[in-house]
Amino acid sequence: MKVYGLFVLLIGIAGCAALNQPIGEMTASRLTCESNPEFVDGNLETESAFAVRGFVRKAYILHEGQGRGLAYAQRRYITQVEGQRRTEAIIKLDAPTYVSHVEVYPASRLIPNFAMMTTTDDPPRFDIAFERVSDKQHQDIEGLNPVRYRIGREVLYLRMSADGIEDRQNSERTANSGVEIPLKGASIREVKFYIHQTP
């Protein structure tokens, strides 16, 4: 019984010691991001934008219907996305690591509908492997101040996603008073990972 009690005490002490380890920034050399290397290069002076492939089409269409026994046609204004509005980037750690939190340093004043997911599967299976980060899920990042996201789990891949931004300055007129607006990806200066430091 004494041996069991001592074993439980040692486990408790080890657990407390792990929790009391100081949290520090993971070195940039342990992180890679194939699509946007500037996200994890350790340099706040560099920035990179999410890649986006799509545009928004806005136009009037003729809608035909019937009312009170009479055929009629009316114009309806529609907005549709051609391609993909959603953008994403994946950061890989050099080994599965317990991540306390992540800080995102925006370069764009708006990053719409931002979200994170993580997995320890290698290679990751995009349909089922990623688990959502619930902190600030699908919220806009507004302004240029860094934003902290609680992770609290082991991570090998971190998947970030955000909506593309309508680039109205480069929109083009189309027939029937329509307009095509290209989408551009929001920019980030750095993504920093924070982990428990071993003494």
Side-chain angles (χ1 to χ4, degrees):
M1 206 59 174
K2 287 182 179 178
V3 173
Y4 176 76
L6 183 61
F7 179 69
V8 170
L9 180 64
L10 288 172
I11 288 176
I13 291 170
C16 288
L19 289 174
N20 288 326
Q21 288 175 346
I23 293 174
E25 183 183 341
M26 179 183 275
T27 58
S29 61
R30 294 190 57 192
L31 304 167
T32 55
C33 182
E34 193 173 307
S35 61
N36 301 85
E38 296 84 358
F39 283 2
V40 291
D41 64 0
N43 184 355
L44 288 171
E45 300 301 314
T46 61
E47 63 182 69
S48 184
F50 286 99
V52 60
R53 296 172 183 85
F55 63 92
V56 175
R57 178 181 287 123
K58 300 185 179 187
Y60 284 101
I61 63 165
L62 205 56
H63 177 71
E64 295 184 4
Q66 290 208 333
R68 297 188 181 182
L70 298 173
Y72 69 91
Q74 70 182 120
R75 285 165 36 117
R76 207 164 41 122
Y77 197 69
I78 61 147
T79 299
Q80 62 187 37
V81 176
E82 298 288 338
Q84 288 285 333
R85 183 185 288 273
R86 203 77 181 139
T87 66
E88 71 173 38
I90 295 177
I91 297 170
K92 184 180 181 184
L93 285 63
D94 63 345
T97 306
Y98 185 90
V99 176
S100 168
H101 62 276
V102 165
E103 287 182 352
V104 175
Y105 288 72
S108 297
R109 293 194 172 274
L110 174 66
I111 305 178
N113 202 16
F114 187 79
M116 288 183 177
M117 303 177 83
T118 69
T119 187
T120 54
D121 287 4
D122 192 21
R125 291 182 55 195
F126 288 89
D127 51 348
I128 58 171
F130 282 91
E131 181 183 351
R132 293 181 181 200
V133 172
S134 58
D135 190 21
K136 306 177 189 71
Q137 177 81 345
H138 292 293
Q139 292 182 13
D140 294 349
I141 296 179
E142 297 183 39
L144 300 177
N145 292 326
V147 180
R148 177 179 289 193
Y149 292 85
R150 288 189 311 276
I151 306 295
R153 68 178 77 132
E154 204 168 72
V155 175
L156 180 59
Y157 292 92
L158 177 85
R159 181 181 180 186
M160 303 183 301
S161 60
D163 285 348
I165 303 165
E166 292 185 12
D167 185 6
R168 292 191 174 96
Q169 290 183 336
N170 291 308
S171 61
E172 294 181 0
R173 289 276 169 199
T174 63
N176 302 322
S177 301
V179 63
E180 288 184 358
I181 306 169
L183 291 169
K184 62 181 180 180
S187 295
I188 289 176
R189 286 184 288 137
E190 196 70 23
V191 181
K192 294 186 177 183
F193 288 68
Y194 290 85
I195 60 174
H196 290 289
Q197 302 291 308
T198 52

